[in-house]
Amino acid sequence: MRNDQRQVNHIRPVKITPDYISHPEGSVLIEVGDTKVICNASIEDKVPPFMRGKGKGWITAEYAMLPRATEQRNIRESSKGKVSGRTMEIQRLIGRALRSVVDLDKIGERTVWVDCDVIQADGGTRTASITGAFVAVVLAFGKLLTKGTISKMPVIDYLSAISVGVLSDGKEILDLNYQEDSQADVDMNIVMTGAGEFVEIQGTGEEATFSQSQLLTMLQLANEGIEKVTEYQKETIGALSDRIGETVT
Amino acid sequence: MRNDQRQVNHIRPVKITPDYISHPEGSVLIEVGDTKVICNASIEDKVPPFMRGKGKGWITAEYAMLPRATEQRNIRESSKGKVSGRTMEIQRLIGRALRSVVDLDKIGERTVWVDCDVIQADGGTRTASITGAFVAVVLAFGKLLTKGTISKMPVIDYLSAISVGVLSDGKEILDLNYQEDSQADVDMNIVMTGAGEFVEIQGTGEEATFSQSQLLTMLQLANEGIEKVTEYQKETIGALSDRIGETVT
Amino acid sequence: MRNDQRQVNHIRPVKITPDYISHPEGSVLIEVGDTKVICNASIEDKVPPFMRGKGKGWITAEYAMLPRATEQRNIRESSKGKVSGRTMEIQRLIGRALRSVVDLDKIGERTVWVDCDVIQADGGTRTASITGAFVAVVLAFGKLLTKGTISKMPVIDYLSAISVGVLSDGKEILDLNYQEDSQADVDMNIVMTGAGEFVEIQGTGEEATFSQSQLLTMLQLANEGIEKVTEYQKETIGALSDRIGETVT
Amino acid sequence: MRNDQRQVNHIRPVKITPDYISHPEGSVLIEVGDTKVICNASIEDKVPPFMRGKGKGWITAEYAMLPRATEQRNIRESSKGKVSGRTMEIQRLIGRALRSVVDLDKIGERTVWVDCDVIQADGGTRTASITGAFVAVVLAFGKLLTKGTISKMPVIDYLSAISVGVLSDGKEILDLNYQEDSQADVDMNIVMTGAGEFVEIQGTGEEATFSQSQLLTMLQLANEGIEKVTEYQKETIGALSDRIGETVT
Amino acid sequence: MRNDQRQVNHIRPVKITPDYISHPEGSVLIEVGDTKVICNASIEDKVPPFMRGKGKGWITAEYAMLPRATEQRNIRESSKGKVSGRTMEIQRLIGRALRSVVDLDKIGERTVWVDCDVIQADGGTRTASITGAFVAVVLAFGKLLTKGTISKMPVIDYLSAISVGVLSDGKEILDLNYQEDSQADVDMNIVMTGAGEFVEIQGTGEEATFSQSQLLTMLQLANEGIEKVTEYQKETIGALSDRIGETVT
Amino acid sequence: MRNDQRQVNHIRPVKITPDYISHPEGSVLIEVGDTKVICNASIEDKVPPFMRGKGKGWITAEYAMLPRATEQRNIRESSKGKVSGRTMEIQRLIGRALRSVVDLDKIGERTVWVDCDVIQADGGTRTASITGAFVAVVLAFGKLLTKGTISKMPVIDYLSAISVGVLSDGKEILDLNYQEDSQADVDMNIVMTGAGEFVEIQGTGEEATFSQSQLLTMLQLANEGIEKVTEYQKETIGALSDRIGETVT
């Protein structure tokens, strides 16, 4: 039994509130246990310089935490005047992951800006961000479909993420909360598609290592978690669900 | 009649949700019409270098907007690597205003960090921030009282803020929403105490000017608005209300 | 009697030296008591990106202090690599104030850069900057008139600024010097036109508050001060004085 | 057959030149095919603030490329005034990986600074950096052993890294050069110990995904590659090889 | 004859106004032709970290230009957020030159901050800065002598600077104004002591070169110029002149 | 006899390895004693904004040191987020010196980027950089000649640099190593052409001065050194040697 009474293969309760903020084309509040992230997707009618003239779009992501999303207050990155290495890693990950399931050729020279702002953190903020951002992006494209700006949903498949890890007693667990995360020997974030393909695997053993057998157990747990998370995404997306994948069939 | 059917002397609906984020000592979500700001107050057990050794505390504030709190997405200040002049003005204003009603001699060498993060903007974000931040600070001190860290509520009086302005037709109005604000000739932010004293007056006529008579009408409107906003603060604060002012009597 | 023997409603001696620096289109040294500011106005034949194609001009201001303009040496902002919040507030104020009395539609797509550099400080540097900058801008437009670049003086009315405050004994005073400013409970900067209209009111009671009656006394003092300062401006401007307002009549 | 005539499971020639630069405690030039990285390890007799007073050491890494290490000249990060997200990710990875095989409790309050400077790039610069950095660190500790500063080699096991990937034809390959890397659908970097345990797995499919079966094939290839690379490290390290692991037995 | 009717070996009129700004320990306005520089010397009762505990002092200099000191307005370095290479070169030069004639062992652990702010530029701003800064430093030490903080004038010898150059017609000239400077093939700045020793020689032929014979002619001209400039310094310094060199005799 | 057994007028062994890095158009490793610098010259087919439309080219240089090129590890300038004054001075010097011997009118609107990266430092890194950079630039132009992009070698004359100095015993010496440099009273860097003309003279006596007679002795030593260094350049350049100067004859 874990510190919050979960089984090793249980994820925390997930709640995704659509249309959370009024201005963005797509917006959700995703709650995974006590982790809460506002994910906004904005459509801009141009692409960054390196993409111009190719007739295709781009997706980029930014990630931040409110200073007091955490137990100890963090210095605001705008005050420090620079973005930390951790933030950069996470926002590069979110953008890369989303691009793997969006048909950028079908959205014209547009940029989707995804903003993931963690307002409360209890572990798994980057995986919650990816899961929530996916829904925000689908909602944003839904708005473009309604307006007739695009004619097909350019999203190829579902995308979500979950963490797995190995506790110091060697036990593999799914969806670590902050307390577990800070005690784990191994921390791994897995991003997968609805079809069960891998998009990203990032496994790290700081001051520890892990075996191939532990890796396989973690991948199996991740697979179970991703399936459940995908269900929550489907519910939130509703009718738009039927249109996912329509550009590839 | 105004664009949202209000009378000139009516404020928008105010809703203050206490204990909104779990980690901070004091936390509220304040909603003033469609403007939504998370105000968190954090207590740190030390003061900045210029205050050390004086046996008294300090209050400082930071203000930010989510990139898509507004109709058009704004570039994140952490990405730009610097804080804008507008942000600096607002956070200096919030900190200064709060310090005017807190008895810094009574809190020991502690810093209160106030973070106002606008998640949705529809005008009046700085005044909503001050109003919400005041409640967050009272709640945070309430927690110190409960723990016995301090023995008296170090808050001298209520503090809240409201905007007033003059529309291009010369009409003075109270609590401008974004559409009104962008069309107004004169924009004025007023910070007042519960006792009706001024803490700050910041009135600006960009490409316009205003007369003493208009000024007096605006001050009268502000006074009415502040009284109503203070009522919302009292309700949220509840029993702690009785302790405000106890260090000065 | 005040620390420099002035009555409460007396301003310090004002001296405005025109054509102080040779290169700028308009240049003055303004001295208000021991406060000395070089105000240069430069005309650039283009506007910033957000103003392009509108057929009108722009005015922007920058403000700085020599490191040893003050009793204690300040670190140079170029060495710190960023401009302080105080500097930003002041330069935004100067630019905004000047724009309120210039008919930007009449100057074509040009930018007026106003540089206010405080070489010696004794309180009231921001108000002296506004007063001096106004003269520098008029002189710069005078040069454009002489060259025939523009045909009418695009300045609608006089513009000047003065500080008022409340000392800790509750006495309201006009034009605070540094010693008074550092002891005052309330500090207010007022920007007015020659016609006696308000352009900006910025009143602050750090760790203090003020009543409506005190406000009205301060406004009355400010009015007296502005009238005297405007006289000094008229003298310096000389014959160009007759052309102020000619675009609106 | 690959573009440089290798089999899918062949690594490029590896050459590690010890004592390449004279000043650092440990220094190597590592060449993996046409990729060349100078890896310097410097011992500093203090630890960063967050580690002070714990009686243990720290390892941190920095990574950079000469502007013309690549086909197109890159702007120098010191000129841009900030380190890119890619650089941050890589230097965090190198430091984390090294810390997993060093017994930080046995080196006292010292910091090992590892500098990996790519002077010529042809793919796999981060994995070559890890492999070379490991040797530089062992050489630096060797110098401390000789001087008697420490009495046991604080390195627990070998550490090296290799890349694997999937080409667009679905073929899994080992140790990608630049041309292969830029065409690959999947790019994975694996860091392993001499004992065959995983330290880091970072697999990414930008605009592509990969299956569990492809993952297992890649892990197998990585395993073969790591074994060969470890041999090159052993040769370079020479007699110090016998002392690796001596703190844990 | 030159563009301002001078002979090749004539310097421009020099005027040094002492006690120009009231706050600094030493302050002058130096005018060399139309070049005007405010030189302030501030005494701080501590030294930078790298000098602590050595029982001796330090001199450092900063240099800046008002944006409109020049014909074209320059962007303020504080706005750019960094100091240009040219500024760095000049301020390093000024500091280094002053340190060569001050007996740092005799001033205790104090820092002399020298600020050279060019308010109007017409060539030779760095040499005028050095010449003026020397006087400001002597005046500042004079104040320390008067207060009894130090007992001997710690200045070993006079220090001044002048420019020389070669025009495109091959003619060597002394003390170039801006127009000459922008047309010269060779530009050389010479810093010398009162005793005629060299402190710095910086000669540059951008897109041009110079011979040893030209060099010797330039050095001869510089020598003549330095002698005259030193006379102006002596006059300004007055009675303190007798004390220069008293620590070395 | 000097600390490395050289005569006062002897330079250290020079070795220039051409084509050191594969990607740049021109690349050398220059070794002067224990000082080692990688000099890469890259040709870019455009010029910076201030040079556009003039039909001529530009040469600019950047200089950096590996953190552990020196006895003590230096903080990486990309980590500090800014380039030091020393680095700026050196890279401005290198660029200026190279431009004096290249016929920029003959290279079209192209920029030559010269990168000098010191991998090991033992004094004289800036002079070694200039000497090596010259060869890299010639090799890069050689590549353009071979490709037929330009038809004549646009290099007018040889260019190299050497240091001279005065030891504390008053002895003038040629080509100072680090130990000598750190003890010298006077440090002078001389850049000369193959024809023996001066391009730059930068002589500095920090906390010391020098006489005209010492200057002349140093210039004589520099002359001898430059001649020898030029020979090494000729050897490396080989057949291209014959084409130097062909645009001017």
Side-chain angles (χ1 to χ4, degrees), chain F residues 21-230:
Chain F
I21 298 297
S22 61
H23 299 303
E25 283 71 27
S27 174
V28 308
L29 174 69
I30 182 166
E31 299 170 74
V32 178
D34 287 336
T35 289
K36 301 181 185 188
V37 188
I38 299 175
C39 302
N40 290 333
S42 304
I43 308 286
E44 187 186 28
D45 283 339
K46 63 176 189 185
V47 285
F50 68 92
M51 289 295 291
R52 279 184 204 146
K54 300 185 180 172
K56 55 187 289 196
W58 187 245
I59 299 181
T60 189
E62 292 191 353
Y63 166 97
M65 276 191 170
L66 293 202
R68 199 57 196 286
T70 48
E71 186 50 39
Q72 300 297 315
R73 186 180 182 276
N74 292 299
I75 300 174
R76 207 173 273 272
E77 295 193 330
S78 57
S79 300
K80 281 190 288 190
K82 63 177 178 179
V83 168
S84 72
R86 178 184 174 276
T87 293
M88 283 209 192
E89 271 185 36
I90 295 174
Q91 53 199 21
R92 283 160 55 92
L93 168 64
I94 300 170
R96 211 162 53 215
L98 289 168
R99 288 193 297 272
S100 73
V101 292
V102 173
D103 202 338
L104 297 171
D105 291 318
K106 299 297 191 311
I107 64 171
E109 294 215 345
R110 290 188 178 81
T111 299
V112 184
W113 288 88
V114 173
D115 289 291
C116 298
D117 286 88
V118 179
I119 63 174
Q120 190 171 290
D122 185 31
T125 63
R126 81 185 69 188
T127 50
S129 292
I130 291 170
T131 302
F134 174 79
V135 179
V137 167
V138 169
L139 295 179
F141 285 136
K143 209 158 282 182
L144 293 197
L145 285 170
T146 303
K147 287 168 58 184
T149 312
I150 54 176
S151 59
K152 289 196 171 178
M153 170 60 73
V155 175
I156 298 163
D157 196 356
Y158 280 85
L159 178 90
S160 62
I162 204 77
S163 73
V164 286
V166 183
L167 292 180
S168 52
D169 62 4
K171 176 66 86 189
E172 297 87 355
I173 55 172
L174 176 64
D175 187 23
L176 289 69
N177 61 31
Y178 177 71
Q179 194 182 319
E180 291 172 334
D181 187 52
S182 55
Q183 294 165 353
D185 272 7
V186 180
D187 180 28
M188 184 171 286
N189 293 293
I190 309 279
V191 187
M192 291 181 82
T193 64
E197 294 276 298
F198 293 109
V199 171
E200 286 266 348
I201 297 181
Q202 294 197 337
T204 293
E206 176 140 352
E207 309 190 15
T209 60
F210 54 102
S211 66
Q212 177 137 347
S213 133
Q214 287 178 309
L215 171 60
L216 293 176
T217 306
M218 286 190 282
L219 294 179
Q220 175 53 32
L221 286 171
N223 214 64
E224 291 182 42
I226 290 287
E227 278 182 21
K228 285 173 202 148
V229 169
T230 307

Side-chain angles (χ1 to χ4, degrees), chain B residues 127-201:
Chain B
T127 52
S129 293
I130 290 170
T131 302
F134 174 79
V135 179
V137 166
V138 170
L139 295 179
F141 285 137
K143 209 159 280 181
L144 293 198
L145 286 169
T146 304
K147 288 168 57 183
T149 313
I150 54 176
S151 59
K152 289 194 171 177
M153 171 60 73
V155 174
I156 297 162
D157 197 354
Y158 280 85
L159 178 90
S160 63
I162 203 78
S163 73
V164 285
V166 183
L167 292 181
S168 51
D169 62 3
K171 176 66 87 188
E172 296 87 356
I173 55 172
L174 175 64
D175 187 22
L176 289 70
N177 60 32
Y178 178 70
Q179 193 182 321
E180 292 172 332
D181 187 53
S182 54
Q183 295 166 353
D185 272 6
V186 180
D187 180 29
M188 184 171 286
N189 294 292
I190 309 278
V191 188
M192 292 181 82
T193 64
E197 295 276 299
F198 293 108
V199 171
E200 286 266 348
I201 297 180

Side-chain angles (χ1 to χ4, degrees), chain D residues 11-18 20 28-39 119-120 122-124 127-129 131-132 175 229 232 236, chain F residues 20-21:
Chain D
I11 61 169
R12 293 174 288 176
V14 174
K15 184 175 168 197
I16 308 176
T17 309
Y20 186 68
V28 307
L29 173 70
I30 182 166
E31 299 171 72
V32 178
D34 287 335
T35 289
K36 302 183 184 187
V37 188
I38 299 175
C39 302
I119 61 174
Q120 189 170 288
D122 185 31
T127 50
S129 293
T131 302
D175 188 22
V229 169
Y232 287 105
T236 314
Chain F
Y20 186 68
I21 298 297

Side-chain angles (χ1 to χ4, degrees), chain B residues 88-89 92 198-199 201 203 205 210, chain C residues 85 89 92 198 201 203 205 210:
Chain B
M88 283 209 191
E89 271 185 37
R92 282 159 56 92
F198 293 108
V199 171
I201 297 180
F210 54 103
Chain C
E89 271 185 35
R92 282 158 56 91
F198 292 109
I201 298 181
F210 54 103

Side-chain angles (χ1 to χ4, degrees), chain C:
Chain C
M1 279 297 247
R2 295 158 70 178
N3 69 359
D4 57 2
Q5 326 311 333
R6 283 186 288 152
Q7 305 292 327
V8 292
N9 65 340
H10 278 189
I11 62 169
R12 293 173 288 175
V14 174
K15 185 175 167 198
I16 307 176
T17 309
D19 304 324
Y20 187 67
I21 298 297
S22 61
H23 298 303
E25 282 72 28
S27 173
V28 308
L29 173 70
I30 182 166
E31 298 170 74
V32 178
D34 287 337
T35 288
K36 302 182 185 187
V37 188
I38 299 175
C39 301
N40 290 334
S42 303
I43 308 286
E44 186 186 27
D45 283 338
K46 65 175 187 183
V47 286
F50 68 91
M51 289 294 291
R52 277 179 206 150
K54 299 185 180 173
K56 56 187 289 196
W58 187 245
I59 299 181
T60 190
E62 291 190 355
Y63 166 97
M65 276 190 170
L66 294 203
R68 199 58 197 284
T70 49
E71 186 50 40
Q72 299 297 315
R73 186 180 182 276
N74 292 298
I75 300 174
R76 207 173 273 272
E77 296 192 330
S78 57
S79 300
K80 282 191 288 190
K82 63 177 178 179
V83 168
S84 73
R86 178 184 175 276
T87 294
M88 284 210 191
E89 271 185 35
I90 295 175
Q91 54 199 22
R92 282 158 56 91
L93 168 64
I94 300 170
R96 210 160 55 215
L98 290 169
R99 288 193 296 271
S100 74
V101 292
V102 173
D103 202 338
L104 297 171
D105 291 318
K106 300 298 191 311
I107 65 171
E109 295 215 345
R110 290 189 177 81
T111 299
V112 184
W113 288 87
V114 174
D115 289 291
C116 298
D117 286 88
V118 180
I119 62 173
Q120 189 170 288
D122 185 31
T125 63
R126 81 185 70 187
T127 51
S129 293
I130 290 171
T131 302
F134 173 80
V135 179
V137 167
V138 169
L139 295 179
F141 285 137
K143 209 158 281 182
L144 292 198
L145 285 170
T146 303
K147 287 169 57 184
T149 313
I150 54 176
S151 59
K152 290 195 171 180
M153 170 61 73
V155 175
I156 297 163
D157 197 354
Y158 280 85
L159 178 91
S160 63
I162 203 78
S163 73
V164 286
V166 182
L167 292 181
S168 52
D169 62 4
K171 176 66 87 189
E172 297 86 356
I173 55 172
L174 175 64
D175 187 23
L176 290 69
N177 61 31
Y178 177 71
Q179 193 181 322
E180 291 172 333
D181 187 53
S182 55
Q183 294 165 354
D185 272 8
V186 180
D187 180 29
M188 185 171 285
N189 293 293
I190 309 279
V191 187
M192 292 181 81
T193 64
E197 294 277 298
F198 292 109
V199 170
E200 286 267 348
I201 298 181
Q202 294 196 337
T204 293
E206 177 140 351
E207 308 190 16
T209 60
F210 54 103
S211 66
Q212 177 137 347
S213 134
Q214 288 178 310
L215 171 61
L216 293 177
T217 306
M218 286 190 282
L219 294 179
Q220 175 52 32
L221 286 172
N223 214 64
E224 292 182 42
I226 291 286
E227 279 183 19
K228 287 173 200 146
V229 169
T230 307
E231 284 311 305
Y232 288 106
Q233 293 180 318
K234 278 190 187 155
E235 275 175 43
T236 315
I237 290 169
L240 284 171
S241 231
D242 302 336
R243 306 199 57 175
I244 286 178
E246 71 185 4
T247 64
V248 287
T249 51

